[in-house]
Amino acid sequence: MHRTARTVSAALAISLACGLTACGSGGEGVAADAEQTLTVWAMGAEGEKLGAVAAEYTKANPEIDVKVTPIGWDVAHQKLVSAAAAGTLPDVMQMGSTYMGEFAELGVLEPVDTKTFDKKDFFPAGWEQGVVDGEVYGVPWYVDTRVLYYRTDLAQKAGVGKPPATFAELESMASAYQDKAKTKWGIYLQPRGLDTVQSFYPFLYSAGGEIVDKKGKAVVNSPAAVGAFEQYGAFFDKGLSTKSVQPGYDPLKDFNTGNVPMFFSGPWIRTLIDEQYPDLKGKWAVAKVPTGKSSTSMAGGSSLVISKDSEHKAAAKEFVAHLTSAQAQADWYRRTHDLPANLAAWSSGELAEDAGMKVFFQQMKTAKSTPTLPTWSEISASVDTALESVTQGKASGQEAAGKAQSGVEDLVSR
């Protein structure tokens, strides 16, 4: 079902439910220091690991019994919609940026107390993921961005002594890998399929382009965006990146063999390389996204939100404050390797001393978050389709951008 259809269905269900109950009435509820149970939903690996942190929090705050329910990302959206319609959302929820606009629009999220949570404490892009129509609904929990992974040993064979500083240098380096180091491909860029746009964001944002601007206007056919489409497509036109991969393809195995000497990805890849391919130690590195008008990558991650109907808002706020504090964020990194959203967490330990982590820190400072629009999944799917037409040689960058513009204009007007 389309996200817009899901949103309308959820809104209708919530409207009907609120006709019979006191949805959204909230109130101050139970005092923060009273005995109570705080319910929390968290997704994926975070949901599996948050329980241990919650147990420690309960030991330190015995009046608060924190109950964490892990939710798989594959069912997270539907469970949140169903709970919102039934008025049974938990007190605290993990929420990805692609969900934020939808659930804020449904009126089920409590605005953030900005006297307690200061935007200056967090990466700007992390904070922006919780803002919808000027109102803050989410506190950044962890962040994510993409940087360039590259084989340093093969770069040496290719006669390249440093990572690419510009996108022209990225293309030249990809050619050198093939021509001199004899790699099968020069780089891996996603050619088509779901979320191809995530591979495209570094090209788009660094060129100064956007899909939707801050005023909510579709701008994916701007000169900067057209240039990014053309630049992305050039890697496929010149045979530097494969035009076809199997669904679910992971370039890491080919990175190990040397068939793919470069790709853009997130921080979790560092751990996977160390664990799965220890023989690669000392043969790879990470670098910031090459510079166009800027070096700007995508921002991802998750925020923590509080249900508007919660009767435990005071305790919920204190728990969220704990999870997003610098000390707790540094501890969470040790447990999960999620990048801390709190800037102060990066001031000591591995986060401050590891050269690779410094690259992620610098990249995250300029990273760009996607707009918190209810129809964003459909908008990004429209760009995915346009990108496929470019990578498969079926459309020019100008033609693809025009096609995407038409689709996005329709979606932002809903």
Side-chain angles (χ1 to χ4, degrees), residues 82-407:
S82 298
T88 57
L89 284 170
D91 299 303
V92 177
M93 296 156 276
Q94 175 186 356
M95 186 157 288
S97 59
T98 56
Y99 291 179
M100 193 68 69
E102 178 179 357
F103 286 90
E105 185 179 72
L106 293 174
V108 296
L109 305 182
E110 179 73 6
V112 168
D113 177 3
T114 53
K115 293 181 179 179
T116 299
F117 302 97
D118 191 335
K119 65 183 294 184
K120 294 194 298 293
D121 293 336
F122 303 94
F123 284 107
W127 184 265
E128 285 301 315
Q129 290 179 64
V131 180
V132 182
D133 293 333
E135 184 71 77
V136 185
Y137 292 98
V139 182
W141 186 20
Y142 64 88
V143 293
D144 177 30
T145 192
R146 303 291 188 268
V147 300
L148 180 69
Y149 285 78
Y150 69 104
R151 285 285 297 267
T152 53
D153 57 337
L154 297 176
Q156 187 175 10
K157 287 185 179 181
V160 181
K162 60 181 181 179
T166 66
F167 281 92
E169 289 185 8
L170 179 69
E171 186 176 314
S172 295
M173 188 168 176
S175 294
Y177 273 129
Q178 283 185 316
D179 296 341
K180 298 178 182 179
K182 304 304 179 184
T183 63
K184 183 174 183 179
W185 305 106
I187 189 172
Y188 172 72
L189 300 173
Q190 187 171 331
R192 57 179 153 184
L194 181 65
D195 291 334
T196 303
V197 69
Q198 292 194 10
S199 188
F200 178 59
Y201 282 140
F203 292 78
L204 177 67
Y205 292 154
S206 294
E210 294 182 275
I211 297 173
V212 177
D213 67 15
K214 291 182 179 180
K215 297 180 180 179
K217 180 183 177 183
V219 290
V220 74
N221 67 343
S222 70
V226 170
F229 272 105
E230 291 172 348
Q231 197 166 55
Y232 194 81
F235 284 86
F236 299 88
D237 291 341
K238 296 178 181 180
L240 298 173
S241 186
T242 179
K243 290 185 176 183
S244 179
V245 292
Q246 294 296 318
Y249 170 75
D250 182 350
L252 199 50
K253 182 182 292 186
D254 286 336
F255 187 68
N256 178 54
T257 64
N259 283 337
V260 170
M262 290 192 292
F263 63 99
F264 291 100
S265 196
W268 66 89
I269 293 293
R270 286 166 46 95
T271 302
L272 292 178
I273 293 174
D274 290 342
E275 292 177 351
Q276 298 179 15
Y277 303 107
D279 289 344
L280 281 181
K281 186 174 181 179
K283 300 178 181 179
W284 64 277
V286 294
K288 287 179 64 179
V289 167
T291 298
K293 289 186 176 179
S294 63
S295 169
T296 307
S297 192
M298 63 165 285
S302 283
S303 299
L304 294 169
V305 300
I306 296 174
S307 169
K308 195 164 188 176
D309 280 341
S310 172
E311 293 296 329
H312 307 277
K313 291 175 185 173
K317 183 168 72 172
E318 290 194 0
F319 184 58
V320 171
H322 168 73
L323 293 180
T324 58
S325 67
Q327 183 176 355
Q329 293 252 291
D331 174 67
W332 188 243
Y333 171 76
R334 287 189 289 270
R335 295 172 186 263
T336 65
H337 284 93
D338 287 341
L339 301 182
N342 190 311
L343 292 165
W346 293 77
S347 62
S348 62
E350 179 184 352
L351 287 163
E353 298 167 3
D354 184 284
M357 294 313 299
K358 289 180 181 179
V359 172
F360 279 97
F361 178 74
Q362 292 299 325
Q363 193 70 76
M364 192 62 216
K365 287 172 71 175
T366 61
K368 194 175 185 66
S369 60
T370 58
T372 49
L373 298 173
T375 55
W376 190 254
S377 289
E378 290 172 283
I379 288 171
S380 61
S382 179
V383 180
D384 288 343
T385 301
L387 284 166
E388 180 176 347
S389 69
V390 171
T391 66
Q392 303 307 303
K394 297 178 180 179
S396 67
Q398 184 75 58
E399 291 167 340
K403 181 179 179 181
Q405 177 74 10
S406 178

